[in-house]
Amino acid sequence: MPTKKIPAKTVAKTPAKKASSLKPAKKVAAKKSDAGTPLSVVIRRRIEAQKARFHANDNISKFIQPGELEGLVDEVAEKMQAVLESLVIDTESDHNTKNTSQRVAKMFVKEVFNGRYIEQPTLTKFPNVSRLNELMIIGPITVRSACSHHLCPIMGRIWIGVLPSKESALIGLSKYSRLTEWVMCRPQIQEEAVVELADMLEKKIKPIGVAIVMDADHFCMQWRGVKDLDSKMVNSVMRGAFLKDSNLRREFLSLLDKR
């Protein structure tokens, strides 16, 4: 009998010591404590623990673990179903809205707002072997976003001007589109979106100058409110040489007029 009790005590003590010192054990314990907690709350707690921001136009991909996006879609679908019911829509007998909650949830998480939930696209850089330092213009790049005030669509175009230095890194043309889409696929206001895009390009390419012009239709003005179908918003961000050199800025803007 004594020989049977001693191993039992040893086994009971050993996990207690490991649980207090090993990180994997802590993660398992955290998952158990999260049982029954909505996934959105779990993700929110991770973000708050790091004192990070999670505004509508922030990327939170580093706080989302593999496989959790599907769970997030299911949670959003459940809450979207409650919205439809509060709008007094009979989703049981109306064949058109029977699975609308699931479709909308998938659209928000995996399509129109997926710039919040996926990592930044990998940008392949090339050395500036030819030491190029002439103006390059990329665009128009089609923009699909949504205003963070009403979640109404923002549809438009972006032009990017880059003046590389002889030491700048060069990226493939398709990467400008991918990075633009990643930034824009979030609830946004246009004024902040173009600034964020300019910041990223400056950081990645390190050019002499970056210029961005965005021209977009805002459905929060055309679909609701004043319902003005002809209203657009055009704004620009000029950095480095584009801000200091009026001739360069004029050349960039004049070339856009011809497109």
Side-chain angles (χ1 to χ4, degrees):
M1 293 296 291
T3 54
K4 292 182 179 179
K5 289 181 180 178
I6 291 169
K9 288 181 180 177
T10 306
V11 172
K13 287 180 180 178
T14 304
K17 291 180 180 178
K18 288 184 178 179
S20 62
S21 59
L22 297 179
K23 290 182 179 179
K26 286 184 179 179
K27 287 184 179 179
V28 172
K31 286 183 180 179
K32 286 182 180 178
S33 67
D34 290 334
T37 305
L39 181 55
S40 61
V41 175
V42 175
I43 296 171
R44 181 185 292 255
R45 286 174 181 170
R46 291 175 194 155
I47 298 171
E48 290 173 341
Q50 296 296 319
K51 293 181 170 56
R53 202 181 80 163
F54 53 104
H55 290 184
N57 61 340
D58 288 328
N59 179 271
I60 60 170
S61 60
K62 68 179 180 179
F63 301 102
I64 298 175
Q65 297 179 1
E68 287 187 334
L69 279 188
E70 292 298 336
L72 201 58
V73 168
D74 291 339
E75 182 182 333
V76 174
E78 183 179 342
K79 293 178 178 178
M80 183 56 62
Q81 179 63 30
V83 171
L84 294 173
E85 290 172 5
S86 294
L87 290 171
V88 199
I89 297 175
D90 181 3
T91 58
E92 289 298 319
S93 60
D94 179 5
H95 62 282
N96 290 318
T97 58
K98 194 171 186 64
N99 296 308
T100 291
S101 60
Q102 186 71 26
R103 288 190 291 266
V104 172
K106 184 177 179 181
M107 176 189 73
F108 279 153
V109 176
K110 293 195 168 183
E111 295 178 281
V112 296
F113 297 155
N114 80 331
R116 301 193 74 237
Y117 307 112
I118 63 171
E119 294 180 352
Q120 180 180 315
T122 302
L123 300 180
T124 305
K125 296 180 182 179
F126 304 95
N128 191 357
V129 176
S130 301
R131 300 173 71 81
L132 302 173
N133 62 347
E134 300 294 335
L135 172 62
M136 300 187 299
I137 299 177
I138 302 94
I141 299 171
T142 300
V143 172
R144 303 172 189 87
S145 191
C147 83
S148 49
H149 299 152
H150 297 94
L151 302 186
C152 287
I154 298 173
M155 308 290 286
R157 301 177 297 172
I158 275 183
W159 290 265
I160 299 172
V162 177
L163 185 67
S165 70
K166 295 175 181 178
E167 289 76 32
S168 292
L170 302 177
I171 63 174
L173 289 179
S174 65
K175 304 305 181 185
Y176 289 97
S177 294
R178 292 187 186 280
L179 188 59
T180 298
E181 182 181 24
W182 183 71
V183 170
M184 293 296 165
C185 281
R186 309 168 194 181
Q188 293 276 10
I189 64 169
Q190 183 172 332
E191 303 93 307
E192 293 178 351
V194 291
V195 170
E196 183 175 354
L197 182 57
D199 289 344
M200 288 186 179
L201 290 173
E202 274 195 308
K203 182 178 179 181
K204 295 292 181 183
I205 306 173
K206 294 180 172 55
I208 297 173
V210 169
I212 296 175
V213 170
M214 180 170 171
D215 174 354
D217 293 299
H218 288 244
F219 282 56
C220 59
M221 286 187 66
Q222 298 179 354
W223 191 25
R224 56 159 299 281
V226 296
K227 297 181 180 177
D228 186 347
L229 297 178
D230 295 323
S231 290
K232 287 179 178 287
M233 182 174 181
V234 181
N235 67 330
S236 65
V237 173
M238 302 289 167
R239 299 281 178 82
F242 287 96
L243 185 61
K244 299 174 183 177
D245 188 340
S246 59
N247 289 328
L248 177 64
R249 185 166 61 250
R250 193 177 301 113
E251 179 185 0
F252 170 65
L253 295 174
S254 67
L255 288 171
L256 299 193
D257 290 338
K258 297 176 181 178
R259 298 185 63 82

